[in-house]
Amino acid sequence: MKTKEQYKHLLNYGANFISLAVECLLFAYVWYTVYAGSYGFYRRGNWAVIGLYVLIIFFFTKVFGGYNIGYMRMTDIALSHVLAILLSGIIGYMELCLICRDYVSPKPVLGVMAAEIIFILPWIYIVRKVYAWLYPPRQMLVIYGEYSPDDLIAKINTRKDRYNICKSVSYKIGYKELYPMITEHNAVVLCDLPSQVRNQIMKYCYQESVRTYVTPKISDILFRGADDIHLFDTPLLLCRNQGLSIDRRIAKRICDLVLSLLGIVIASPFMLLIALAVKLYDGGPVLYKQERLTRDEKTFFIYKFRSMSMDSEKNGARLAARGDKRVTPVGHIIRNIHFDELPQLFNILKGDMSMVGPRPERREISQQYEEEIPEFVLRTKVKAGLTGYAQVYGKYNTTPYDKLKLDLTYIENYSMWLDVKIMLLTFKILFQKENTEGIDEEQKTALK
């Protein structure tokens, strides 16, 4: 198995290279047969046009995760490729109009997009089947600490195409019994173990070349954002613990101003239609105003299109549940596509929020979370966001502890590129209904 493992990446790279090459050839064919001859381009000019298109489609496919054939679900891979093809086709057409200095017929570009989709869907299906045949699900051992790993095991079991939980044991049985079990499995999952025990097991797994999955602690995520210091012959890690530096905050604010203004202009027709629909349904207020927390726990009023009935909180504050009866028919539609959040573009323009950051919580709900997870307040190291790391990699009903880990991962690994990636992935999750899944009926918050 270990010998075969080293060829896994070659299979992935080979399959992705073929898909990109076919996309390149399809676009090149249309360029040479339809556009190039009419506008007098020479050899290097033709290569530049084709190369730019290849870079665009590679960029979108990479960001959406379409090249992770052995990692993501089949539906996710297909959606990633289709979105990448559609966006690349739109930008590619704009590129052609600029290069040709004229409006050109979009039909050939639409033909390329259709041909690419017709090729890519069966291709990734075939590759995924070959991948699953060559690399069956990993035989995994879960080693847990004081708390039951049932929730984690249930999540892992949703991907039986990739993972097979064969056994779960407590670390308390001792290393003498654990070590032989570890070497009998392809991978180990370390779930909420005491630091000393976890470190000992990780060293053994490293020595034996056993793949190890670890549920990180808060301190682990903080270390991921640390800088390496090489002033001495003893390695040091520097954790600045200040959120974003002043230069990053200024650059982020400039981007927020530009994007929020652009977003308001583009979204204004949709906002007008939604406002009319909300008003005509029950005659109630169009906007819903609510106090939320942003950077340094400062409060502000967030604006959303009202998606629930006017008396939705007569029994107190609570998050939306699965099949929540308080949600109106109009609310169901705008919540599923996240358009109820569009008025927050004005919050961003005002400076209360950022385009990307931890989603703002209500003070009373945040205080409930902090009673069980004191570190939850660390999310307010940066300004709240319209979208965020926890929104694209988590769900609406993600537990507060996992949400905290995701948001801290964003804070500690912040970059302008990460913001761009999250905004593009936000576009993708509009087509993934599971991301809007509510909490259970008996819950008031995401705490379990």
Side-chain angles (χ1 to χ4, degrees):
M1 181 67 178
K2 288 183 179 179
T3 304
K4 197 165 59 172
E5 279 285 322
Q6 61 186 322
Y7 299 109
K8 181 185 293 186
H9 291 299
L10 288 178
L11 172 62
N12 202 44
Y13 291 145
N16 292 330
F17 176 79
I18 290 172
S19 64
L20 188 63
V22 170
E23 290 164 340
C24 172
L25 291 173
L26 287 170
F27 182 82
Y29 173 78
V30 169
W31 169 253
Y32 277 113
T33 56
V34 178
Y35 300 109
S38 303
Y39 294 93
F41 276 79
Y42 295 99
R43 180 182 299 174
R44 291 183 181 178
N46 293 327
W47 294 349
V49 173
I50 295 166
L52 183 57
Y53 176 79
V54 171
L55 287 175
I56 292 169
I57 199 165
F58 173 81
F59 169 77
F60 282 119
T61 310
K62 182 73 174 176
V63 169
F64 289 139
Y67 292 133
N68 297 323
I69 294 178
Y71 172 67
M72 296 174 66
R73 289 185 177 89
M74 183 66 196
T75 52
D76 283 343
I77 301 168
L79 176 60
S80 298
H81 276 281
V82 170
L83 288 177
I85 289 169
L86 293 177
L87 291 175
S88 300
I90 293 169
I91 295 175
Y93 175 72
M94 294 168 62
E95 170 198 351
L96 291 177
C97 291
L98 288 172
I99 290 171
C100 298
R101 300 179 184 179
D102 193 6
Y103 289 106
V104 297
S105 174
K107 289 182 180 179
V109 177
L110 292 173
V112 170
M113 293 161 63
E116 287 173 344
I117 292 173
I118 290 170
F119 161 76
I120 207 69
L121 294 180
W123 172 248
I124 59 177
Y125 177 80
I126 293 168
V127 173
R128 187 59 183 267
K129 286 294 183 182
V130 172
Y131 194 97
W133 175 65
L134 291 174
Y135 303 101
R138 296 183 184 279
Q139 309 297 302
M140 303 179 75
L141 170 68
V142 176
I143 304 174
Y144 61 91
E146 299 294 333
Y147 304 102
S148 168
D150 290 346
D151 282 347
L152 179 63
I153 290 174
K155 291 176 183 179
I156 295 174
N157 282 337
T158 62
R159 293 298 310 273
K160 288 185 177 292
D161 59 317
R162 289 276 297 157
Y163 309 113
N164 178 19
I165 303 293
C166 300
K167 193 172 186 178
S168 64
V169 295
S170 169
Y171 78 94
K172 294 180 180 179
I173 65 174
Y175 299 125
K176 188 175 180 180
E177 291 188 47
L178 279 176
Y179 287 167
M181 290 184 189
I182 289 172
T183 53
E184 290 171 2
H185 294 81
N186 302 133
V188 174
V189 182
L190 306 183
C191 180
D192 292 327
L193 296 177
S195 297
Q196 185 177 357
V197 175
R198 186 190 66 173
N199 295 344
Q200 183 67 30
I201 294 174
M202 285 185 67
K203 290 174 185 176
Y204 178 78
C205 291
Y206 186 83
Q207 177 185 325
E208 298 297 320
S209 300
V210 176
R211 181 174 290 224
T212 309
Y213 299 82
V214 184
T215 55
K217 301 179 186 295
I218 298 298
S219 55
D220 297 328
I221 295 173
L222 298 180
F223 282 136
R224 287 181 64 186
D227 295 329
D228 294 313
I229 301 297
H230 297 295
L231 296 177
F232 324 103
D233 57 356
T234 298
L236 290 177
L237 293 177
L238 170 62
C239 297
R240 299 186 186 277
N241 303 327
Q242 294 178 342
L244 303 187
S245 60
I246 185 66
D247 57 315
R248 287 182 166 183
R249 291 209 304 269
I250 292 172
K252 192 172 172 64
R253 179 62 185 146
I254 293 171
C255 290
D256 287 339
L257 285 170
V258 173
L259 292 174
S260 60
L261 283 170
L262 186 62
I264 289 168
V265 171
I266 294 172
S268 55
F270 301 102
M271 288 196 279
L272 180 60
L273 290 173
I274 292 169
L276 286 171
V278 173
K279 191 68 176 179
L280 291 173
Y281 174 72
D282 59 9
V286 169
L287 294 178
Y288 176 67
K289 185 175 73 170
Q290 194 178 72
E291 194 176 76
R292 297 287 181 99
L293 297 175
T294 187
R295 183 161 60 93
D296 298 329
E297 294 192 276
K298 292 178 181 177
T299 58
F300 73 101
F301 284 102
I302 195 172
Y303 294 99
K304 302 174 73 171
F305 283 119
R306 183 172 58 84
S307 60
M308 293 189 175
S309 57
M310 289 181 282
D311 60 348
S312 61
E313 294 197 338
K314 60 183 179 181
N315 297 321
R318 61 162 295 162
L319 298 179
R322 296 187 186 95
D324 201 316
K325 295 179 181 178
R326 300 174 301 162
V327 181
T328 66
V330 175
H332 274 296
I333 297 172
I334 62 176
R335 286 175 72 92
N336 283 338
I337 58 176
H338 300 274
F339 274 23
D340 59 323
E341 314 282 0
L342 287 177
Q344 289 162 46
L345 290 169
F346 293 98
N347 285 118
I348 297 169
L349 186 63
K350 185 181 174 183
D352 297 325
M353 295 174 62
S354 178
M355 288 297 293
V356 181
R359 282 298 292 164
E361 292 285 357
R362 301 174 67 169
R363 185 177 290 279
E364 54 267 42
I365 291 178
S366 183
Q367 287 173 344
Q368 291 181 49
Y369 292 163
E370 288 170 29
E371 288 177 8
E372 293 199 23
I373 313 165
E375 302 93 342
F376 196 76
V377 70
L378 300 179
R379 297 172 71 251
T380 58
K381 281 277 188 179
V382 298
K383 198 177 288 186
L386 175 62
T387 185
Y389 202 90
Q391 276 56 57
V392 298
Y393 293 111
K395 299 179 181 179
Y396 180 80
N397 60 1
T398 296
T399 63
Y401 190 53
D402 285 336
K403 188 178 289 186
L404 170 62
K405 290 180 180 179
L406 290 168
D407 286 329
L408 282 178
T409 300
Y410 167 75
I411 294 169
E412 292 303 312
N413 296 276
Y414 173 79
S415 68
M416 198 66 76
W417 160 241
L418 183 57
D419 272 2
V420 172
K421 183 177 180 180
I422 289 173
M423 284 187 278
L424 288 172
L425 287 174
T426 301
F427 175 71
K428 179 183 174 182
I429 66 171
L430 295 178
F431 303 90
Q432 297 174 306
K433 191 177 180 181
E434 63 269 18
N435 286 77
T436 60
E437 189 178 82
I439 59 175
D440 293 331
E441 186 65 35
E442 65 273 11
Q443 295 176 262
K444 286 194 174 182
T445 68
L447 282 171
K448 293 186 177 180

